[in-house]
Amino acid sequence: MALAYLLLGSNVGNRRRYLRAAAGAVKGWAKTTMLEASSVWETRPEGFLRQRAFFNQAVAIETRLEPAALLIWAKKTELELGRRKRRRWGPREIDMDILLYGRRRVRRSWLVIPHPRLHRRAFALKPLAELCPRMTHPVLGERIAVLAERLPSDAVRRLDD
C-alpha cells in the first residue's frame, strides 16, 4: 500500500460540484481508499491568466495501484466527468494531478512524481499542507508546510465549507 496525494482542480461550471464528483469517483477506484480531503481553496490561474479562478482541493489516498495505473484512473475520471481538451493551462472542468506517491520518484516523459512544479505552486501546496504538513518533499527534503509558507498567499484563499 502506498500513501499518495492528488490535487483536484476546476474552473468551469459548478466548480464545487466537479470537485465533489472527482472525490466521489476516487472513492470507487480499484485498489484505492480515499482517506481525507483538504478544504477547498480558490486560486488565481497561472499560465493563461484570462480565465476564471480555480477551486482546488488535495486528497489523500492509500493505493495498491502503481503510479502509471493511478495516472490512468485519474485521466479516465477526468474524461468521465466531462473534461474537454482546450489550450494548455486553460480552463478545465476537472483536473487531477498526482502530487506525491509515498517517497517514490518517477521520471517519465508522461509522468513525473513528485509533481515537478509542486514547490512553486501555492494552489497545490496550501491544500496539501493541510493534509500532511510534516511530510518531507522527497526531492527537496523540506517539510510541505515550510514550502507552503514560503510562497506568497495573495493568489490563494481558503474557502469556508
Side-chain angles (χ1 to χ4, degrees):
M1 259 323 204
L3 176 61
Y5 294 89
L6 309 175
L7 183 70
L8 313 178
S10 174
N11 77 334
V12 172
N14 187 327
R15 298 168 290 177
R16 277 192 195 269
R17 188 176 48 180
Y18 276 114
L19 294 182
R20 278 193 302 273
V26 169
K27 291 176 183 175
W29 288 358
K31 302 178 184 178
T32 300
T33 302
M34 190 167 124
L35 302 175
E36 63 180 320
S38 73
S39 302
V40 174
W41 292 71
E42 184 176 43
T43 63
R44 282 191 294 203
E46 290 187 14
F48 177 61
L49 302 178
R50 294 178 58 192
Q51 61 182 317
R52 188 177 186 197
F54 279 85
F55 281 6
N56 291 106
Q57 183 175 40
V59 296
I61 62 171
E62 280 187 333
T63 187
R64 286 192 173 94
L65 296 172
E66 287 296 313
L70 189 60
L71 180 65
I72 290 168
W73 277 92
K75 296 306 164 194
K76 178 179 178 264
T77 300
E78 288 177 355
L79 292 174
E80 288 173 352
L81 294 179
R83 179 164 177 177
R84 295 189 354 226
K85 285 284 184 192
R86 294 183 175 92
R87 71 186 301 162
R88 183 178 174 140
W89 294 322
R92 53 202 91 140
E93 289 79 11
I94 191 67
D95 186 42
M96 303 178 82
D97 290 321
I98 304 169
L99 299 177
L100 298 169
Y101 187 98
R103 304 264 330 133
R104 285 185 60 182
R105 299 179 195 189
V106 177
R107 288 191 103 18
R108 304 279 184 270
S109 60
W110 43 272
L111 177 62
V112 178
I113 301 173
H115 194 283
R117 291 173 296 284
L118 174 60
H119 63 287
R120 290 187 264 147
R121 292 184 160 176
F123 67 85
L125 276 175
K126 297 288 185 179
L128 184 61
E130 274 187 49
L131 301 181
C132 59
R134 300 175 63 103
M135 179 175 274
T136 303
H137 189 288
V139 175
L140 302 176
E142 295 189 74
R143 289 187 177 178
I144 296 299
V146 171
L147 293 170
E149 287 171 14
R150 284 193 191 134
L151 295 175
S153 295
D154 62 334
V156 298
R157 84 181 165 97
R158 192 166 130 178
L159 300 178
D160 295 327
D161 291 329

